[in-house]
Amino acid sequence: MTSAVLTKLLREPLLHFLVIGAALFGVYQWTTGDEAAPDEIVVSAGQIASLQAIFSQTWQRPPTSSEREALIADYIRDEVLYREGVAMGLDRDDVIVRRRIRQKMEFVADLSADVQPTDAELKAFVADHPDRFSGEPRVSFTQVYFPAGAQTANEAEVERLRLALNAGTADASTAGSPLLAGSDFRDLAISDVAQTFGTDFAAWIDKATPGTWQGPVTSGYGTHLVRVSERVEARQLPFEQVRDAARREWLHARKVVAAHALYEELRSRYVIKVEDLPGAPSATVVGAAQ
Amino acid sequence: MDAGAFGNRLGFEDAYRFARGEELTASGGERVKLSRPLDFLVIADHSDNMGFFPALFSGKPEMLADPTGRKWYDMVQAGGQEGVKAALEIIDNFSRGTFPPALQFLPGSDGYSSTWDQIIAAAEKYNEPGHFTAFIGYEWTSQVPPGNNLHRVVIYRDGGDKAVQTLPFTTYPPQGSTTPEDLWKHLQAYEDKTGGRVLAIAHNGNLSNAWMFPTETNPATGQPLSAEYAKTRAHWEPLYEATQIKGDGETHQYLSPNDEFAGYELWDKGNLNLSEAKKPEMLQSEYARSALQIGLQLEAKLGTNPYKFGMIGSTDSHTSLATAEEDNFFGKHSGAEPTPTRFEHEFMRNGDLFLTGWQQVSSGYAGVWATENTREAIWDAMRRKEVYATTGPRMLVRFFGGWDFAEADAQSRNPAFAGYGKGVPMGGDLRAAPAGKSPTFLVAALKDPIGGNLDRIQIVKGWIDAAGARQEKVYDVVWSDERVPGADGKLPAVGNTVDVATATWTNTIGASELIKTWTDPEFDPALRAVYYARVLEIPTPRWTAYDAVRFGVKMPPEVPMFGQERAYTSPIWYTPEG
């Protein structure tokens, strides 16, 4: 079975409108602010080309002439309302605009750390974090299940069965009760055992000695006797197998550091004063100018 | 509702890292980690514009031709502090208005790069076939004025090489549209261009004010629903998201007055923004169970069932944190992450209509019967509807339909062998009833290993009677604790071990596993029918009860403190010959 989740971020079309407006024309404003007079809106050939390109990539065909007119009219409408809105200060203290801009700044910081590492760098990174790039122990096992609740088998019965299984006088494929999760498992990582049977069961099986029927051990389902037939220890994987994961982790680590450094530098340019909250228990003042 | 807007500063990468089981710091500062990693995740952001920054950093020839561009590129490549310095220089140039004009609009460059590229890049980075599947996808956030929710999540079977060739469909004309038919055209154009595969999953019909599953008239056009509409919708929308944070969507007690478990975690006050109040007559076009029946009626009329969907659950979370269990509920958005007062915050208001924080639903997940953990295998399972919804618990649920299931199949150690061998799995079809036979079903559920025990499994049957009217009936099929139905046929309640004061419960009632074969006792081979299974857990504490204990707050009596979590399987359909 595979569990899943769909996480959706960002919706509310009205907000999209505002945010996309802010994003597009925020950049426009910064970059072209000194080119056009305040009351002039220039829809450049480049901008029209960009509008057409986005349309084509969305619809898989170029816009018709009336659609192109509509794209330009919509662009102008956005620009007029965006400018007037900014003039009225509607972008200020707007949590949506602020967060979006902040996300974008963090994204810029990410980009500034986005380079391809060499194999030598990755190998060094793997060597520094062996736990992250080694495989997990893997086990093959058979389990015999006794449900929790009214029909619970008593301890003596379970122990008798365990001895019989070890003596070869009981058959695991008919002993105990069926369990929908299954009874025979081959080459499962310990984390996969935990997904199916819970972490306590997985921790127990991680310590079990292969070869004999052991237990009882409990899971969220009930009680089990377990025979681990094979255990493969965690081992360092060949570099080729971990290269992609190492690159991902290396880049992530680098971006975290870069984002932190960039923020610290920008923050140090501000004098920050945090006022006391009336009635708050203790006074707090933070200054952070260098 | 914008994730960025609500204070979510965890990005796409964080969402993937969290789903994979890594510990993160949530927006509110708490350290968070999933006790059990997920196998797959779709992050569905909408398209947005990142400006020209990606081009600036990516070493495009046009940029490298400019000395400043070359310098910044080299600094980034040098890495470490140099990269940070490059970013600072760029920021400073902007703030002083001295940014090199040559770099602002690179001739011949494609100018703007969209967030879509970033979404694809993150998915590609975290997708590990066999271990963790990061789907490429987006949400088409159609909301028809005044605020009727028609949202769809689009999921790609494909990798970035194909997905990057088109942009996500948006909702604002002239680029986009709020009409589902236009989305379907867009999906077709994507497949035609790339040879890729996509599907769309609608959610929150409960907030559509009757627009989600129309009965006769297409609300977008005012025309009667057509054969073309039915065929196209059935093709692109094989699944419906039946449970999530903004309300459970299985059924409403108004529609299912004889179902004692109807009315679970409902959001039924109005449309998405509460701009229009709910009227009872809207409900039939908003809930999965009635839609499945309307689909049968439309199939008789149009030749295709437009609402032949399987069911999944999903979080619809805006926190980058996929948390659907009651004891890990992180709320809809970052402004409502765990705090002592989140239950009483006004979640939304429009005039007299409002929703309060406690009404958020800690739901749900999708279970998928896939052959392996890859984009292709999971997508294919979604396409054939071999999926089920849960409201949070990771139950394992099987549902097979056929003509020959016998009691022995339920005693088997490997019931799935009989299931696939003698019948069709959830999402499948039964046709051509053998003379004198009624459909038989093999249904089984195993509790979440760290969740509540199981109360019962029910089979919900919907059908169209000889007069063409919709009918439904809920059958208790198998239950725990050797309970005996009363003289009225009603099964006694399983009981309740929840101690609200401590937000705990015990698995001293209920069963770990339930399995049974069942034959439809009222089968008429001439009538179309649809069957799905509903699995109920014993009562367990609701997220509000965990909050009350964690923060030592007292909540008013209208706030529910426990509930029976559940799973819904995708249906199996019976269609008469001819």
Side-chain angles (χ1 to χ4, degrees):
Chain A
M1 185 191 86
T2 299
S3 294
V5 58
L6 305 176
T7 296
K8 281 153 271 162
L9 310 171
L10 309 183
R11 50 196 54 194
E12 197 75 356
L14 175 61
L15 305 186
H16 291 178
F17 173 81
L18 291 172
V19 170
I20 292 170
L24 272 170
F25 303 111
V27 170
Y28 178 78
Q29 194 86 349
W30 290 344
T31 54
T32 61
D34 54 358
E35 287 174 5
D39 57 352
E40 193 176 32
I41 290 174
V42 178
V43 187
S44 69
Q47 277 146 357
I48 295 171
S50 173
L51 289 170
Q52 294 198 106
I54 292 170
F55 185 97
S56 304
Q57 238 197 318
T58 304
W59 288 94
Q60 301 310 310
R61 62 172 176 80
T64 64
S65 61
S66 67
E67 282 166 339
R68 201 180 64 133
E69 293 308 309
L71 288 171
I72 294 168
D74 194 54
Y75 179 91
I76 296 167
R77 177 183 291 261
D78 267 359
E79 182 64 9
V80 168
L81 295 180
Y82 176 76
R83 286 195 198 180
E84 296 300 325
V86 168
M88 288 166 67
L90 296 181
D91 57 331
R92 265 177 271 136
D93 294 329
D94 181 321
V95 72
I96 293 163
V97 175
R98 294 170 66 97
R99 288 298 180 208
R100 202 55 171 168
I101 299 296
R102 169 178 164 169
Q103 276 188 334
K104 291 186 174 214
M105 285 301 283
E106 286 168 347
F107 179 61
V108 169
D110 271 4
L111 285 172
S112 75
D114 201 1
V115 301
Q116 286 311 315
T118 63
D119 276 2
E121 283 172 308
L122 291 181
K123 282 178 179 159
F125 188 76
V126 170
D128 286 347
H129 305 88
D131 50 316
R132 280 205 234 173
F133 300 103
S134 57
E136 282 184 78
R138 306 180 75 88
V139 289
S140 298
F141 65 97
T142 305
Q143 65 85 24
V144 168
Y145 168 63
F146 309 93
Q151 334 85 305
T152 309
N154 69 48
E155 275 178 45
E157 272 175 63
V158 173
E159 177 59 13
R160 255 199 309 280
L161 182 60
R162 189 182 72 83
L163 294 172
L165 286 165
N166 276 330
T169 55
D171 179 2
S173 68
T174 54
S177 299
L179 180 69
L180 208 52
S183 48
D184 288 303
F185 297 86
R186 273 194 215 151
D187 198 31
L188 234 56
I190 294 294
S191 63
D192 290 330
V193 177
Q195 286 277 36
T196 305
F197 288 94
T199 48
D200 291 351
F201 184 97
W204 181 89
I205 214 167
D206 195 20
K207 294 200 187 77
T209 316
T212 60
W213 285 94
Q214 297 180 28
V217 55
T218 56
S219 73
Y221 310 126
T223 305
H224 310 258
L225 292 174
V226 177
R227 178 177 177 272
V228 176
S229 53
E230 195 185 359
R231 177 187 167 91
V232 180
E233 292 304 326
R235 63 192 166 91
Q236 204 65 38
L237 298 168
F239 176 69
E240 288 308 314
Q241 271 184 43
V242 301
R243 184 201 303 266
D244 287 350
R247 178 184 292 123
R248 187 179 66 227
E249 297 304 306
W250 183 90
L251 269 173
H252 181 75
R254 191 181 159 98
K255 285 179 178 182
V256 168
V257 171
H260 180 74
L262 184 64
Y263 172 67
E264 287 303 318
E265 171 59 29
L266 292 174
R267 190 181 188 275
S268 73
R269 298 174 176 186
Y270 291 83
V271 175
I272 297 168
K273 294 176 184 162
V274 181
E275 292 184 351
D276 282 349
L277 189 67
S282 64
T284 319
V285 178
V286 180
Q290 281 185 351
Chain B
M1 276 156 268
D2 180 308
F6 279 118
N8 174 20
R9 56 182 169 71
L10 297 175
F12 312 132
E13 294 210 16
D14 291 317
Y16 284 123
R17 300 181 76 84
F18 182 72
R20 292 171 55 119
E22 183 161 320
E23 186 169 314
L24 294 180
T25 303
S27 297
E30 307 88 341
R31 297 295 290 172
V32 293
K33 185 176 192 289
L34 271 186
S35 69
R36 292 174 291 173
L38 301 173
D39 294 323
F40 74 92
L41 182 72
V42 185
I43 298 180
D45 202 334
H46 71 99
S47 184
D48 187 35
N49 204 305
M50 267 318 300
F52 54 90
F53 293 100
L56 191 62
F57 287 99
S58 67
K60 289 206 190 269
E62 298 88 348
M63 191 196 127
L64 298 183
D66 181 274
T68 315
R70 176 88 230 179
K71 186 183 85 174
W72 285 336
Y73 178 75
D74 288 343
M75 286 167 78
V76 166
Q77 291 304 308
Q81 279 304 308
E82 286 295 294
V84 173
K85 259 170 71 187
L88 284 167
E89 279 189 27
I90 290 161
I91 292 167
D92 289 343
N93 274 282
F94 268 109
S95 60
R96 286 197 294 270
T98 55
F99 195 83
L103 287 178
Q104 288 176 27
F105 296 103
L106 295 167
S109 85
D110 44 19
Y112 292 102
S113 162
S114 73
T115 304
W116 183 232
D117 297 329
Q118 306 312 316
I119 291 171
I120 290 173
E124 295 290 83
K125 200 155 134 192
Y126 286 93
N127 186 54
E128 264 188 78
H131 179 64
F132 180 82
T133 294
F135 275 112
I136 296 170
Y138 67 91
E139 179 165 17
W140 177 70
T141 53
S142 171
Q143 189 178 324
V144 177
N148 300 336
N149 177 81
L150 291 179
H151 295 184
R152 263 85 169 166
V153 170
V154 174
I155 299 179
Y156 291 68
R157 187 178 189 272
D158 315 309
D161 56 325
K162 289 198 170 83
V164 78
Q165 294 180 39
T166 70
L167 284 174
F169 197 54
T170 54
T171 57
Y172 271 83
Q175 296 283 10
S177 154
T178 57
T179 305
E181 285 93 320
D182 289 327
L183 172 69
W184 303 333
K185 273 185 213 154
H186 172 80
L187 299 179
Q188 185 67 57
Y190 167 78
E191 290 196 352
D192 290 347
K193 180 188 169 100
T194 65
R197 301 291 307 276
V198 278
L199 56 81
I201 305 173
H203 65 86
N204 285 110
N206 61 332
L207 307 176
S208 75
N209 278 12
W211 278 58
M212 186 58 81
F213 301 109
T215 54
E216 285 166 16
T217 306
N218 182 348
T221 60
Q223 300 298 308
L225 293 174
S226 66
E228 182 63 22
Y229 174 94
K231 241 165 61 186
T232 318
R233 180 159 175 158
H235 175 74
W236 295 111
E237 305 195 358
L239 301 180
Y240 179 64
E241 185 183 296
T243 185
Q244 62 122 277
I245 288 183
K246 295 198 302 291
D248 190 83
E250 189 221 358
T251 192
H252 191 284
Q253 67 268 35
Y254 176 83
L255 302 167
S256 306
N258 297 324
D259 178 357
E260 62 180 307
F261 297 99
Y264 178 75
E265 298 279 4
L266 297 180
W267 278 35
D268 59 355
K269 291 193 170 179
N271 53 5
L272 182 60
N273 55 8
L274 297 177
S275 59
E276 185 182 77
K278 190 74 69 200
K279 301 189 189 78
E281 62 270 24
M282 295 172 176
L283 296 170
Q284 61 175 357
S285 292
E286 303 203 334
Y287 285 83
R289 189 187 295 179
S290 47
L292 289 169
Q293 297 157 24
I294 293 168
L296 300 180
Q297 288 175 309
L298 288 171
E299 184 179 48
K301 199 158 84 182
L302 304 173
T304 309
N305 177 350
Y307 311 140
K308 194 166 184 175
F309 54 77
M311 290 192 271
I312 59 155
S314 139
T315 59
D316 198 34
S317 157
H318 292 65
T319 59
S320 297
L321 305 175
T323 60
E325 286 152 50
E326 300 301 321
D327 60 355
N328 75 358
F329 183 54
F330 247 74
K332 171 74 176 169
H333 53 69
S334 301
E337 282 176 20
T339 65
T341 53
R342 67 168 168 171
F343 77 96
E344 61 186 3
H345 280 158
E346 199 162 85
F347 190 77
M348 196 185 284
R349 175 181 282 278
N350 204 327
D352 292 338
L353 298 177
F354 63 95
L355 286 157
T356 313
W358 62 263
Q359 289 176 292
Q360 294 176 84
V361 187
S362 180
S363 190
Y365 286 132
V368 175
W369 288 109
T371 49
E372 57 181 17
N373 188 354
T374 62
R375 282 173 178 162
E376 295 79 11
I378 296 174
W379 192 95
D380 290 348
M382 289 178 165
R383 190 76 195 74
R384 66 178 186 264
K385 312 181 185 90
E386 203 173 342
V387 299
Y388 57 96
T390 95
T391 58
R394 300 196 201 173
M395 290 182 227
L396 197 148
V397 187
R398 290 284 196 184
F399 185 48
F400 297 97
W403 303 101
D404 300 308
F405 285 117
E407 195 47 42
D409 297 323
Q411 308 304 327
S412 154
R413 296 251 159 173
N414 291 296
F417 289 153
Y420 287 107
K422 293 161 76 171
V424 296
M426 54 182 76
D429 282 288
L430 295 176
R431 291 202 179 84
K437 288 209 171 188
S438 291
T440 58
F441 296 89
L442 174 60
V443 63
L446 178 67
K447 65 169 285 212
D448 181 329
I450 61 169
N453 275 349
L454 305 177
D455 166 2
R456 67 184 78 189
I457 303 178
Q458 302 172 307
I459 288 180
V460 180
K461 179 185 179 185
W463 72 100
I464 305 307
D465 67 20
R470 299 197 299 273
Q471 302 291 344
E472 66 174 61
K473 192 162 179 179
V474 181
Y475 297 89
D476 289 316
V477 170
V478 54
W479 51 85
S480 71
D481 300 303
E482 293 165 3
R483 281 169 282 164
V484 179
D488 55 356
K490 199 178 148 202
L491 187 67
V494 69
N496 186 0
T497 67
V498 174
D499 178 20
V500 172
T502 55
T504 55
W505 87 100
T506 61
N507 275 328
T508 48
I509 55 172
S512 298
E513 176 174 313
L514 294 170
I515 182 166
K516 185 87 172 162
T517 53
W518 179 81
T519 305
D520 180 357
E522 294 161 278
F523 179 65
D524 180 337
L527 305 178
R528 288 167 209 276
V530 56
Y531 304 84
Y532 66 89
R534 180 171 70 183
V535 185
L536 293 173
E537 265 191 3
I538 62 169
T540 50
R542 195 175 180 270
W543 68 268
T544 40
Y546 290 102
D547 263 25
V549 171
R550 196 176 285 144
F551 299 116
V553 294
K554 191 159 169 50
M555 300 191 190
E558 73 266 23
V559 180
M561 288 294 166
F562 55 85
Q564 285 188 267
E565 302 248 24
R566 51 200 69 197
Y568 314 121
T569 70
S570 288
I572 292 171
W573 288 266
Y574 168 72
T575 314
E577 282 285 271

